[in-house]
Amino acid sequence: QDLRSTKEEFILRYYSLREFVPKQVTLDEELEDAPLLAQYLGEQKGQKVVLHVPVKGEQRQLILMAQKNAAERLSQETKRTGKEIAALSELAQLLGLPHTPKFIESYDISHFGGADMVAGMVVFEDGRPLKSAYKRFSIKTLDIQDDYAAMREVLTRRLNRYTQEKGTDSSFGILPDLILLDGGKGHVNAIRPLVEEMGFDIPVFGMVKDDKHRTRAIAADGSEIAVTSFRSAYTLVSSIQEEVHRF
């Protein structure tokens, strides 16, 4: 279920069970059905209710405090830290994912002067490296350097292994909730159609570096998503990109 829809459903249920409805409800993002939601709350209250998404000031600080408190509460009930929960939640919101990703797979291509091409796959579970699931692939179908073709070969082999080993104890038998490629829009455009053609609904994005080899943005279809201002998500994506490059 979409994160925004979940928030709308929560607000509806929360205030339908309570006599008091405030004049203003402060949210952390715009909701698709905000006008209808505000109309419903106004009818419950008997006067106009405003849905407000603050970008600065005291209300913004209250939103950030609520997010921090929620992350800390979740961290007490799971094995993840508050920072990990916040990073995954922020990343899901930034990329428009239907839910917070539990398993993230990342891929990078490496070679020596265009020869001996190999690929690395790293896996992050709940925001942490799952090193037992890391894989290396020798590129079998290419005699020349072609990062896009190499990436297509690797993802084809990986997803075929899922089909063969689904339901087993193999790490290949688990589908990722998100795929992050070490590369830009070209890599995304090469891989996303392949994943869809193979019948899988897995979000695919790229990780773009600046001229100092630091994470700069996330590549989507034909565009880039700025990530540096989203500190928790930025730290997570940077660590994933560094880890897959190292591996």
Side-chain angles (χ1 to χ4, degrees):
Q1 188 177 21
D2 185 85
L3 287 172
R4 291 182 176 87
S5 297
T6 302
K7 290 177 184 177
E8 291 173 0
E9 181 67 21
F10 169 76
I11 293 169
L12 283 171
R13 292 189 180 186
Y14 183 82
Y15 288 111
S16 67
L17 297 174
R18 285 160 175 78
E19 294 182 3
F20 173 75
V21 177
K23 294 180 180 180
Q24 176 177 296
V25 177
T26 302
L27 306 171
D28 63 340
E29 63 177 339
E30 296 287 349
L31 300 179
E32 184 176 348
D33 294 327
L36 291 175
L37 183 58
Q39 180 182 344
Y40 170 80
L41 295 177
E43 292 172 354
Q44 291 285 98
K45 185 174 181 59
Q47 66 183 86
K48 183 178 180 180
V49 173
V50 175
L51 300 183
H52 178 53
V53 182
V55 295
K56 60 181 179 180
E58 181 182 359
Q59 289 292 307
R60 180 60 183 170
Q61 293 305 311
L62 288 173
I63 284 291
L64 295 176
M65 183 177 68
Q67 291 175 335
K68 180 181 178 181
N69 290 344
E72 290 178 352
R73 176 63 182 271
L74 281 172
S75 71
Q76 296 171 4
E77 299 178 6
T78 69
K79 295 180 180 180
R80 292 179 287 175
T81 67
K83 288 183 178 180
E84 290 166 343
I85 293 170
L88 291 166
S89 178
E90 192 171 73
L91 183 62
Q93 183 174 332
L94 185 65
L95 301 183
L97 303 181
H99 53 80
T100 303
K102 180 175 179 63
F103 289 98
I104 300 174
E105 288 184 2
S106 184
Y107 296 83
D108 188 19
I109 303 296
S110 181
H111 55 80
F112 297 96
D116 298 322
M117 295 187 72
V118 297
M121 178 189 100
V122 303
V123 181
F124 275 59
E125 180 184 12
D126 291 331
R128 300 178 183 178
L130 183 62
K131 295 191 176 183
S132 62
Y134 287 15
K135 305 293 181 184
R136 286 191 178 91
F137 299 82
S138 296
I139 305 304
K140 300 178 179 180
T141 61
L142 300 173
D143 296 322
I144 59 173
Q145 179 184 344
D146 186 334
D147 284 3
Y148 297 160
M151 198 72 83
R152 283 194 295 268
E153 177 189 323
V154 169
L155 266 296
T156 298
R157 289 164 58 185
R158 188 270 179 266
L159 294 175
N160 280 336
R161 287 289 296 273
Y162 169 77
T163 301
Q164 298 166 3
E165 301 179 23
K166 178 180 178 181
T168 70
D169 293 334
S170 167
S171 59
F172 277 129
I174 299 174
L175 273 184
D177 301 297
L178 173 66
I179 293 174
L180 294 176
L181 309 173
D182 185 61
K185 292 176 283 187
H187 287 80
V188 175
N189 292 336
I191 298 304
R192 185 173 287 179
L194 170 68
V195 172
E196 293 173 353
E197 289 168 7
M198 294 184 70
F200 295 99
D201 183 18
I202 306 172
V204 178
F205 293 89
M207 300 177 292
V208 184
K209 298 175 183 175
D210 61 18
D211 54 5
K212 295 182 180 180
H213 297 282
R214 296 176 301 193
T215 305
R216 177 177 61 79
I218 295 177
D221 276 337
S223 64
E224 290 184 357
I225 302 171
V227 69
T228 53
S229 59
F230 297 86
R231 182 166 299 276
S232 295
Y234 172 76
T235 301
L236 174 60
V237 173
S238 294
S239 64
I240 292 173
Q241 189 167 32
E242 290 173 4
E243 179 67 359
V244 73
H245 184 71
R246 177 200 67 77
F247 182 65

